[in-house]
């Protein structure tokens, strides 16, 4: 007999037993797959007593090797490993020349670091609406442009790629830079082309919640050799280095300001192992997610996130959307009473309005135009005078509506067929009238 109960069994709210009696597994995808290989990699660096990338008593070259392997995985010529995704954003935007007098278009569904990097460099972020991919809407990007717009940050949110081909076409047509933020979508692709290869540059995060991780870490990638040189200098001390790690301070085009976001050898060694495991991790999440999505399609009464290329979805989140707020609240409560939640430390089955700093209007510093200094930087700068960007709820109506009506469920890579059955059964019961 199938583990999935017949459609007329009692829901938990009607006195029936919940679909699950124990929480869903608590998982941070890369962490779940850590084993002796990562231990050996870290030990190799420690035994050599050489944790710094540019020189040491027995330099292992782990960061350089990781950069080569990660660039090769994506199919780009250049990568600069950094100590966090946030650091990657600062390095990328600084290398792209972002500064006062410029506006940078960012999506309504994002992460706080993106706004932070733009504002910290003296520019003004402009939030543009998303579409049913939950990523930037190409039409909204066009509408958000002003004569000051210098570039676009496309964020591939919650594991699935945004419409990178369309956004790249808009950027090209208008002469703007395109930076892809792939922090939540490492290993994602559209029609076989990896995210991170569509724009002028891209960044990744290897913080613990991500598809591959060393606890912290990140990477900047680009096809552009000059941009690469600027990023190398920016992430370090502001200057180029020779092959022995010595600073070259006599290159006028590379006299920049360093930001101190270098990655260390220990984490690079771990990331080299995690990169090899990435396809298996995303493959497992994708398989579970698309089994659940296929079942949801049969049930009706629920709208699924539009995914441009299902085979390029990394699978780490399932987003479902309902006709109105009341129904989303009801289905979420029913799913929870059916036991669809995880341990307290994990991201659980949540209404998207509870998704914190991922929603533009929840960023108080942005809504209130908080300053980096005591003088009102960068909002008070003469170069930024007249910028009319706003950030309060109502600025991006389609995003607001999607956030109100949607539920986010993380999909662990370790879900068993039985766990999947439980989730499907819980949805079946929760979607009944
Ligand atoms: C979309 C996005 N961009 C950037 C970052 C920043 O990465 P990190 O935490 O490594 O600084 C994150 C991290 O959660 C993210 O989700």
């Amino acid at each position: 007999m199938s583990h999935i109960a017949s459609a007329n069994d009692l829901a938990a709210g009607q006195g029936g037993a919940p679909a699950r009696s124990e929480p869903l597994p608590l998982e941070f995808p890369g962490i779940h797959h850590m084993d002796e290989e990562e231990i050996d990699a870290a030990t190799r660096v420690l035994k050599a007593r050489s944790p710094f990338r540019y020189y040491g008593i027995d330099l292992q070259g782990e960061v350089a090797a990781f950069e080569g392997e990660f660039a090769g995985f994506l199919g780009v010529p250049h990568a600069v490993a950094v100590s966090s995704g946030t650091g990657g954003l600062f390095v990328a935007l600084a290398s792209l020349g972002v500064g006062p007098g410029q506006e940078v278009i960012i999506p309504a569904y994002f992460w706080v670091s993106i706004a932070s990097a733009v504002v910290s460099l003296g520019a003004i972020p402009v939030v543009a609406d998303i579409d049913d991919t939950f990523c930037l809407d190409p039409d909204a990007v066009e509408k958000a442009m002003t004569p000051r717009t210098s570039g676009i940050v496309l964020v591939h949110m919650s594991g699935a790629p945004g419409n990178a081909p369309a956004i790249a076409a808009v950027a090209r047509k208008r002469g703007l830079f395109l930076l892809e933020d792939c922090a939540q979508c490492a290993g994602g692709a559209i029609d076989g082309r990896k995210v991170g290869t569509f724009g002028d540059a891209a960044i990744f995060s290897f913080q613990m919640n991500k598809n591959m991780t060393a606890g912290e870490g990140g990477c900047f990638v680009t096809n552009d050799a000059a941009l690469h040189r600027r990023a190398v200098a920016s992430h370090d001390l502001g200057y180029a280095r020779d092959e022995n790690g010595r600073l070259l301070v006599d290159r006028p085009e590379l006299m920049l300001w360093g930001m101190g976001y270098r990655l260390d050898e220990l984490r690079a060694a771990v990331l080299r192992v995690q990169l090899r495991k990435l396809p298996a991790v995303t493959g497992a999440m994708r398989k579970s997610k698309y089994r659940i999505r296929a079942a949801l399609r049969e049930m009706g009464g629920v709208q699924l996130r539009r995914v441009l290329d299902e085979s390029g979805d990394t699978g780490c989140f399932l987003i479902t959307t309902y006709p109105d707020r009341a129904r989303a609240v009801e289905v979420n409560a029913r799913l929870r009473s059916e036991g669809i939640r995880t341990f307290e430390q994990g991201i659980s089955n949540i209404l998207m309005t509870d998704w914190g700093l991922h929603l533009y209007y929840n960023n108080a510093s942005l809504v209130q135009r908080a300053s980096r200094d005591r003088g009102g930087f960068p909002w008070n700068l003469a170069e930024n005078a007249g910028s009319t960007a706003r950030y309060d709820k109502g600025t991006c109506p389609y995003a607001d509506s999607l956030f109100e009506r949607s539920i986010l469920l993380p999909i662990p890579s370790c879900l068993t067929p039985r766990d999947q059955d439980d989730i499907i059964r819980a949805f079946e019961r929760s979607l009944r009238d």
Side-chain angles (χ1 to χ4, degrees):
M1 203 182 86
S2 156
H3 180 69
I4 302 177
S6 69
N8 57 9
D9 67 340
L10 284 180
Q14 300 169 319
R20 274 187 82 81
S21 52
E22 62 183 52
L24 288 164
L26 173 64
E27 187 188 272
F28 303 93
I31 295 284
H32 183 81
H33 296 261
M34 274 187 177
D35 57 21
E36 290 302 319
E37 281 192 89
E38 281 84 352
I39 294 170
D40 287 348
T43 307
R44 189 171 65 234
V45 173
L46 291 172
K47 280 191 175 152
R49 292 181 293 143
S50 194
F52 183 62
R53 77 163 293 177
Y54 285 123
Y55 46 82
I57 51 175
D58 180 14
L59 185 59
Q60 300 294 295
E62 299 286 350
V63 180
F66 172 69
E67 288 171 342
E69 288 159 10
F70 195 64
F73 169 76
L74 295 176
V76 292
H78 308 293
V80 185
V82 287
S83 52
S84 69
T86 305
L89 285 163
F90 276 73
V91 167
L93 292 172
S95 301
L96 286 160
V98 167
Q102 297 177 31
E103 292 177 349
V104 177
I105 296 176
I106 66 174
Y109 184 36
F110 71 174
W111 181 239
V112 57
S113 314
I114 299 151
S116 172
V118 174
V119 168
S120 298
L121 290 166
I124 302 294
V126 173
V127 284
D129 218 331
I130 56 174
D131 60 20
D132 50 7
T133 64
F134 282 78
C135 299
L136 270 180
D137 173 356
D139 291 335
V141 169
E142 297 251 23
K143 286 197 193 101
M145 280 177 200
T146 75
R148 293 177 186 193
T149 309
S150 61
I152 305 166
V153 183
L154 169 61
V155 192
H156 301 288
M157 287 299 285
S158 305
N163 197 345
I167 304 283
V170 172
R172 261 194 312 275
K173 187 172 80 183
R174 302 296 194 118
L176 306 176
F177 72 74
L178 173 60
L179 172 64
E180 289 177 83
D181 180 335
C182 311
Q184 301 191 8
C185 199
I190 304 171
D191 298 331
R193 184 168 167 188
K194 294 257 174 16
V195 298
T197 65
F198 289 87
D200 298 276
I203 69 98
F204 291 79
S205 161
F206 307 125
Q207 179 269 342
M208 191 170 75
N209 291 325
K210 308 304 189 292
N211 294 344
M212 54 180 277
T213 187
E216 298 276 9
C219 202
F220 164 95
V221 301
T222 182
N223 283 310
D224 182 325
L227 202 51
H228 173 240
R229 284 192 291 275
R230 286 175 63 85
V232 169
S234 299
H235 99 297
D236 183 16
L237 294 171
Y239 300 98
R241 288 186 190 255
D242 70 12
E243 58 282 359
N244 296 316
R246 287 196 196 89
L247 290 171
L248 303 170
V249 295
D250 58 351
R251 310 218 165 161
E253 80 286 6
L254 291 176
M255 287 179 190
L256 304 171
W257 291 104
M259 295 174 158
Y261 291 125
R262 289 181 306 259
L263 187 68
D264 58 280
E265 292 279 286
L266 205 49
R267 282 183 290 170
V270 170
L271 287 170
R272 293 179 69 193
V273 179
Q274 287 268 302
L275 177 60
R276 292 199 290 274
K277 296 178 177 177
L278 180 64
V281 174
T282 55
M285 296 189 295
R286 186 164 50 242
K287 194 167 167 208
S288 293
K289 173 172 170 176
Y290 281 88
R291 182 161 170 241
I292 298 166
R293 270 176 60 115
L296 286 170
R297 271 214 181 86
E298 298 293 311
M299 291 175 213
V302 54
Q303 184 189 320
L304 299 175
R305 172 185 188 178
R306 180 161 67 93
V307 177
L308 294 160
D309 170 13
E310 295 184 355
S311 64
D313 183 351
T314 71
C316 48
F317 286 98
L318 173 75
I319 300 179
T320 54
T321 305
Y322 301 87
D324 54 37
R325 171 73 176 167
R327 184 63 173 157
V329 170
E330 180 180 51
V331 172
N332 183 252
R334 286 183 180 181
L335 284 170
R336 289 184 152 267
S337 72
E338 294 291 350
I340 303 306
R341 54 175 169 258
T342 186
F343 295 86
E344 281 311 311
Q345 306 98 301
I347 307 154
S348 197
N349 159 32
I350 56 164
L351 288 157
M352 280 192 84
T353 41
D354 294 333
W355 203 204
L357 300 179
H358 289 98
L359 317 192
Y360 70 99
Y361 57 71
N362 282 345
N363 286 263
S365 298
L366 191 58
V367 175
Q368 293 170 35
R369 296 171 180 253
S371 175
R372 287 285 302 200
D373 63 7
R374 294 199 188 97
F377 176 94
W379 316 97
N380 66 332
L381 297 180
E383 295 92 323
N384 292 330
S387 262
T388 55
R390 48 178 280 228
Y391 311 103
D392 52 327
K393 195 172 178 179
T395 303
C396 296
Y398 194 64
D400 297 354
S401 163
L402 283 177
F403 298 154
E404 294 280 324
R405 297 183 291 119
S406 300
I407 295 175
L408 188 88
L409 182 71
I411 304 292
S413 69
C414 63
L415 277 193
T416 62
R418 192 180 171 118
D419 294 327
Q420 298 161 12
D421 288 346
D422 290 344
I423 294 171
I424 292 169
R425 183 157 53 138
F427 267 110
E428 252 168 11
R429 290 169 165 192
S430 304
L431 289 171
R432 285 183 205 151
D433 285 334

